[in-house]
Amino acid sequence: MSLHSEAAGRLTTHVLDTASGKPAAKLRIDLFRIDGDRLMPLHSTHTNDDGRCNHPLLTGAEMRSGAYELRFHVGEYFGNQQANGQTPFLDVVPIRFGIDDENVHYHVPLLVAPFGYSTYRGS
């Protein structure tokens, strides 16, 4: 029996708008599984008012080891906030990552501003 056998593996994310100092609400996120050079679409969702998704992006039988990509549609997000109609500098921010253990929590946060972003493996 594994140490993690009782744990519910899941994938979560959240997005913080570092320019405003607030959660990035209503930001579209797409999740793909990477199979060789193909992207297999799994889910599309939006962040809630807290910058988080209402449900894990992966859980249960969907939570499999392998390579994944999250696409954060920050161009739409910042474009909706700009009244002057300028083209946003960042459009879609892709983050590729791997899952090794289906029984643990993987958290992939995004800190974003109109001209830059960062990420890390969260908890």
Side-chain angles (χ1 to χ4, degrees), residues 90-112:
L90 294 173
D91 186 17
V92 177
V93 173
I95 299 175
R96 288 194 171 191
F97 60 96
I99 291 177
D100 286 326
D101 187 343
E102 299 99 356
N103 298 307
V104 299
H105 181 196
Y106 285 80
H107 185 66
V108 183
L110 178 68
L111 308 175
V112 68

Side-chain angles (χ1 to χ4, degrees), residues 10 12 25 27 30 35-36 38 45 52-53 56 58 60 70 78-80 89 93-94 105-106 109 115 118:
R10 65 194 187 283
T12 58
L27 187 141
D30 298 321
D35 185 11
R38 292 181 28 193
T45 190
R52 299 177 184 274
C53 299
L58 291 175
L70 282 167
F78 287 116
N80 290 336
F89 177 70
V93 173
H105 181 196
Y106 285 80
F115 300 102
S118 66

Side-chain angles (χ1 to χ4, degrees), residues 7-111:
R10 65 194 187 283
L11 170 66
T12 58
T13 188
H14 76 271
V15 185
L16 298 175
D17 178 343
T18 59
S20 70
K22 298 179 181 176
K26 299 181 180 88
L27 187 141
R28 182 165 55 113
I29 301 170
D30 298 321
L31 173 65
F32 299 85
R33 182 172 170 81
I34 301 170
D35 185 11
D37 58 355
R38 292 181 28 193
L39 292 177
M40 313 293 287
L42 297 178
H43 296 288
S44 185
T45 190
H46 288 80
T47 57
N48 60 24
D49 289 343
D50 195 33
R52 299 177 184 274
C53 299
N54 288 330
H55 305 284
L57 298 170
L58 291 175
T59 189
E62 290 183 318
M63 186 73 178
R64 300 184 356 217
S65 63
Y68 293 86
E69 180 173 302
L70 282 167
R71 290 185 181 174
F72 297 87
H73 294 263
V74 299
E76 288 175 5
Y77 170 78
F78 287 116
N80 290 336
Q81 296 180 8
Q82 294 177 341
N84 59 13
Q86 291 180 338
T87 302
F89 177 70
L90 294 173
D91 186 17
V92 177
V93 173
I95 299 175
R96 288 194 171 191
F97 60 96
I99 291 177
D100 286 326
D101 187 343
E102 299 99 356
N103 298 307
V104 299
H105 181 196
Y106 285 80
H107 185 66
V108 183
L110 178 68
L111 308 175

